[in-house]
Amino acid sequence: MSKLRISTEKSELDIPLIHDFLSTQSSWARDIPLATLARAIENSLCFGGYLGMSQVAFARVVSDYATFANLVDVFVLPVHRGRGFSKAVLQDVTAHPQLQDLRRFTLATGDAQGLYAQFGFKSLLHPQSFMERYFSAIYQSAP
């Protein structure tokens, strides 16, 4: 089995590949404009997973690096799934020096609770305390 190399170097990211996956294959960022994704990447800690020079995985963390972080846009390309790459990425995310000693580290998932539970994520302790403004089809209505 090939070993996944994980890097937080933004210059290595394959932005067209990330955009293609998120905008056409994800359930959470369908039709995201490239400019919106570029701004999100610029303002986030990003993790790229690579086999050789080819990117096959991605994760993005939005954080103040002191008290809070939110994990988003985690994916492994379908052809490379089932090889432990998502676990490798999450291991690097949760071990990253800038993401230690945070009071709260959140994420949202529709179907991967079992994966994230292996890294200490749990259902909200006080869900009644959380509120959100959520626009599920915002990218579909973008000009």
Side-chain angles (χ1 to χ4, degrees), residues 5-13 41 44-50 59 92-93 96-99:
R5 180 179 63 83
I6 300 169
S7 172
T8 57
E9 183 58 50
K10 288 182 184 171
S11 65
E12 292 186 64
L13 293 172
I41 287 172
S44 301
L45 175 60
C46 298
F47 295 78
Y50 305 89
D92 272 36
V93 167
H96 193 279
Q98 289 181 279
L99 302 175

Side-chain angles (χ1 to χ4, degrees), residues 49-97:
Y50 305 89
L51 291 177
M53 297 303 293
S54 298
Q55 184 169 356
V56 301
F58 180 73
R60 187 168 68 81
V61 177
V62 181
S63 182
D64 64 6
Y65 304 114
T67 64
F68 177 82
N70 188 42
L71 177 61
V72 296
D73 294 341
V74 179
F75 71 84
V76 174
L77 294 177
V79 70
H80 296 287
R81 292 181 185 164
R83 297 168 63 183
F85 294 159
S86 60
K87 290 179 183 178
V89 170
L90 288 170
Q91 180 61 45
D92 272 36
V93 167
T94 57
H96 193 279

Side-chain angles (χ1 to χ4, degrees), residues 17 32 117:
L17 176 130
I32 187 170

